[in-house]
């Protein structure tokens, strides 16, 4: 089973530099949104309107910059990405819908299905991708692992609280003390319950079993794992436990 850890994805020269340092180990994933709310997107794009309709072209241009393969007629063809003496790495597209899946397949890109965002449309998204000729599916999932189920649940509650905070514009992961003192109303409790569908929480045995279920559902053995629980050491331990069990 192939596993990865999702973090911010560098573009163009930053990505090319990483790729040159670690050939064959770096892959580029591109999403159609910066994440967060619409207000966040507008802040990051200086108020520019959503360019979702141009996403396919922008992905092609990114690949062109990275591989020095822009058309001679392209207005930015003289812009070069360095370092240039390297073998281009794969590009994948983060998708949650048949539209994104179709773009990924038509461009011969991998598809990263965002189970961690919304697992509900997996069937139509993945079937669209494969019917259009797509060959490489990666599933991206929240996964929190600990030596005991009790400890995993304690960690997961800080991620639950973080997700609720993100909805209100607060992206800071709360501490154990803050989380344990929090009193949720009925609406928030129901949201947390639904959000847990996006996550796997448990011991190495539980994580292995649940990842195998998703591997069968999505017909893939490639996963990107996200852990946004509190405490860096606990997150590192989570990844280590999973690696020891599955790699």
């Amino acid at each position: 089973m192939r596993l990865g850890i999702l973090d911010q994805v560098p573009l163009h020269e930053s990505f090319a530099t990483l790729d040159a340092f670690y050939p064959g180990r770096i892959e580029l994933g591109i999403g159609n949104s910066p994440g967060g709310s619409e207000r966040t997107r507008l802040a990051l794009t200086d108020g520019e309107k959503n360019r979702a309709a141009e996403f396919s072209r922008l992905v092609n241009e990114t690949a062109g910059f990275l591989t020095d393969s822009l058309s001679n007629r392209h207005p930015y063809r003289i812009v070069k990405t360095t370092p240039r003496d390297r073998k281009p790495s794969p590009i994948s597209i983060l998708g949650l819908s048949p539209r994104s899946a179709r773009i990924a397949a038509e461009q011969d890109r991998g598809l990263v299905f965002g189970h961690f965002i919304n697992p509900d449309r997996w069937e139509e998204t993945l079937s669209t991708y494969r019917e259009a000729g797509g060959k490489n599916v990666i599933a991206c999932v929240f996964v929190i692992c600990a030596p005991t189920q009790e400890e995993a649940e304690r960690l997961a509650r800080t991620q639950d609280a973080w997700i609720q905070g993100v909805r209100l514009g607060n992206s800071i992961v709360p501490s154990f003390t803050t989380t344990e003192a929090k009193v949720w109303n009925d609406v928030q409790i129901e949201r947390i319950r639904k959000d847990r569908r996006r996550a796997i929480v448990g011991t190495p045995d539980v994580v292995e079993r649940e990842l195998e279920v998703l591997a069968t559902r999505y017909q893939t053995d490639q996963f990107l794992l996200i852990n946004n629980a509190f405490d860096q050491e606990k997150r590192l331990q989570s990844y280590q436990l999973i690696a020891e069990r599955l790699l």
Side-chain angles (χ1 to χ4, degrees):
M1 182 175 288
R2 181 180 172 203
L3 304 172
I5 299 171
L6 184 68
D7 207 332
Q8 282 191 322
V9 179
L11 284 174
H12 296 161
E13 289 199 346
S14 297
F15 171 74
T17 300
L18 282 173
D19 196 27
F21 273 121
Y22 307 103
R25 296 182 59 190
I26 306 294
E27 296 185 19
L28 177 62
I30 300 175
N32 195 16
S33 167
S37 65
E38 178 64 12
R39 190 181 297 250
T40 301
R41 188 195 65 76
L42 289 171
L44 290 172
T45 60
D46 196 26
E48 186 174 337
K49 292 182 179 179
N50 195 331
R51 301 175 68 186
E54 299 180 61
F55 181 61
S56 180
R57 176 182 64 80
L58 293 173
V59 171
N60 265 328
E61 283 191 356
T62 297
F65 283 121
L66 291 171
T67 58
D68 195 22
S69 59
L70 291 174
S71 164
N72 288 333
R73 295 187 298 275
H74 197 283
Y76 304 133
R77 66 186 180 279
I78 65 171
V79 177
K80 305 297 182 182
T81 297
T82 57
R84 297 169 64 184
D85 185 20
R86 61 186 180 83
K87 181 180 179 181
S89 290
I91 295 177
S92 296
I93 292 175
L94 175 65
L96 296 169
S97 68
R99 177 181 175 275
S100 296
R102 189 172 294 106
I103 291 173
E106 289 173 350
Q107 295 196 14
D108 196 25
R109 312 287 182 202
L111 176 69
V112 179
F113 178 69
H115 180 99
F116 77 108
I117 299 174
N118 185 352
D120 291 337
R121 300 184 70 184
W122 71 270
E123 205 160 9
E124 57 180 326
T125 299
L126 296 187
S127 62
T128 297
Y129 178 68
R130 290 188 169 110
E131 288 169 5
K135 302 178 182 67
N136 187 32
V137 172
I138 304 169
C140 189
V141 189
F142 282 126
V143 179
I144 296 174
C145 187
T148 68
Q149 189 68 33
E150 181 181 20
E151 176 66 12
E153 289 291 340
R154 182 170 181 256
L155 290 167
R157 284 192 288 274
T158 66
Q159 180 172 278
D160 294 337
W162 167 75
I163 291 173
Q164 303 312 305
V166 167
R167 290 192 170 101
L168 301 174
N170 181 8
S171 60
I172 297 175
V173 179
S175 68
F176 294 116
T177 302
T178 301
T179 301
E180 288 161 6
K182 183 71 176 177
V183 178
W184 304 108
N185 61 38
D186 291 343
V187 173
Q188 290 170 321
I189 290 172
E190 179 60 19
R191 283 177 178 166
I192 290 171
R193 186 189 68 79
K194 289 183 177 178
D195 286 336
R196 279 293 189 99
R197 296 179 305 116
R198 304 187 269 162
I200 296 173
V201 177
T203 63
D205 285 341
V206 170
V207 170
E208 180 179 29
R209 182 168 65 249
E210 293 300 317
L211 283 176
E212 291 293 351
V213 169
L214 292 183
T216 299
R217 177 191 300 176
Y218 297 146
Q219 298 178 44
T220 184
D221 63 354
Q222 298 185 81
F223 289 90
L224 281 172
L225 309 184
I226 310 176
N227 182 333
N228 274 351
F230 183 73
D231 194 311
Q232 173 73 355
E233 292 302 317
K234 295 294 185 181
R235 289 196 295 270
L236 291 175
Q237 180 189 49
S238 175
Y239 292 127
Q240 182 176 352
L241 289 170
I242 295 168
E244 289 173 352
R245 176 56 61 95
L246 297 175
L247 298 181

